[in-house]
Amino acid sequence: MAVGVLSLQGSFNEHIAALRKIGVKGVEIRKPEQLQNITALIIPGGESTTMAKLAEYHNLFPALRDFVKMGKPVWGTCAGLIFLANKAIGQKSGGQDLVGGLDCTVNRNFFGGQLQSFETELLVPEIAATEGGPSTFRGVFIRAPAVLEVGPEVQVLAYYSVPSNNSAESKSNSENQLETPVSKERVIVAIKQGNLLGTAFHPELTADTRWHSYFLKMAGVVTEQSSNSIIKEEYFSDNRQQKNDLPIFQW
């Protein structure tokens, strides 16, 4: 079963490579009729306004909304998360069309511009419980959004805690990430609602394919290559040898 990747702009090639790594075919999607041939869809990170203009040009929005309403699994990363949100703030003049479906409000450019891009370890207990591996995931945030509010049917999968000058307070916050509400010091960066998944960061830019495997299971696509042991061994071997950190975000 093929998984589609919206390929108008952004990191669609990286998603296709990640899918290939775990034995699943990724199909580039640029036209509405192509959605009829896939079982699930990934909307990648990129420049959300540009992606929206291209989607409008190709008349993709009605087909994308129908795809979501049919209950087919859709995962949005970074700009893709903005696409799937019911409401987005911090947009450019005139705003942009949204696909909608996720009962949440996102701030389109919460962390700032390109210079405020960063990497950090996120607590991901749901991913660890389902896919194995450690309780953390290396989140890559590039001109990233953040989720400010969620509805009652939305499951929060990861928070980001803003680093504190008080190391004891920071440690306490980190240990209780999924037990406290969103605030100025804590924002939501990964959510799930029914058939929809959204991450403010870019899992496709890491060697850790657990988020892709998690999404494939949402879509009912499980392959022998996506076993936990292969993912964990390959990722942590690569990660120990290659680590080029971006700055940690500060207020």
Side-chain angles (χ1 to χ4, degrees):
M1 293 186 288
V3 175
V5 182
L6 191 65
S7 302
L8 302 175
Q9 189 263 347
S11 57
F12 57 89
N13 281 324
E14 288 79 359
H15 274 295
I16 290 173
L19 291 171
R20 186 185 306 118
K21 189 175 180 181
I22 53 178
V24 174
K25 181 181 180 181
V27 178
E28 295 182 8
I29 301 296
R30 295 187 176 88
K31 298 179 180 180
E33 57 269 24
Q34 293 175 312
L35 291 169
Q36 300 174 11
N37 303 318
I38 59 174
T39 58
L41 177 70
I42 297 174
I43 304 178
E47 212 296 313
S48 61
T49 303
T50 300
M51 289 174 63
K53 288 180 179 179
L54 289 169
E56 183 176 2
Y57 176 80
H58 291 286
N59 196 33
L60 271 162
F61 277 107
L64 289 169
R65 293 183 184 119
D66 287 344
F67 194 89
V68 169
K69 290 176 183 177
M70 289 171 62
K72 292 189 176 182
V74 183
W75 173 22
T77 63
C78 195
L81 167 62
I82 299 171
F83 262 57
L84 290 178
N86 283 346
K87 182 179 179 181
I89 64 174
Q91 300 196 63
K92 294 179 180 179
S93 178
Q96 67 180 66
D97 280 341
L98 302 174
V99 174
L102 279 174
D103 186 11
C104 69
T105 299
V106 301
N107 186 317
R108 177 182 174 275
N109 200 22
F110 180 84
F111 294 103
Q114 193 74 25
L115 293 178
Q116 282 72 49
S117 300
F118 65 99
E119 296 181 17
T120 190
E121 296 294 331
L122 301 169
L123 284 177
V124 288
E126 169 74 8
I127 300 302
T130 305
E131 306 306 320
S135 60
T136 61
F137 184 91
R138 191 71 177 172
V140 179
F141 293 79
I142 302 175
R143 296 183 63 188
V147 179
L148 305 182
E149 297 176 345
V150 296
E153 302 300 318
V154 175
Q155 179 184 2
V156 175
L157 300 180
Y159 285 98
Y160 174 66
S161 293
V162 177
S164 170
N165 291 330
N166 185 322
S167 59
E169 178 184 347
S170 178
K171 184 176 186 295
S172 175
N173 285 345
S174 177
E175 291 173 348
N176 296 284
Q177 276 192 354
L178 298 185
E179 299 176 6
T180 55
V182 64
S183 68
K184 183 178 178 182
E185 290 76 31
R186 186 184 304 279
V187 291
I188 299 167
V189 293
I191 57 176
K192 176 184 176 184
Q193 182 183 0
N195 59 305
L196 303 179
L197 179 66
T199 56
F201 48 94
H202 291 263
E204 74 279 9
L205 299 184
T206 76
D208 188 341
T209 55
R210 288 181 295 165
W211 281 94
H212 288 82
S213 180
Y214 182 80
F215 177 65
L216 292 178
K217 289 177 181 176
M218 287 175 54
V221 181
V222 182
T223 67
E224 183 178 350
Q225 290 95 325
S226 63
S227 68
N228 292 340
S229 59
I230 294 176
I231 294 171
K232 288 189 295 182
E233 180 180 353
E234 189 170 309
Y235 166 63
F236 293 109
S237 174
D238 291 347
N239 198 44
R240 280 193 296 267
Q241 297 172 13
Q242 302 175 11
K243 197 162 186 178
N244 183 22
D245 294 349
L246 294 168
I248 296 297
F249 173 77
Q250 300 282 358
W251 288 97

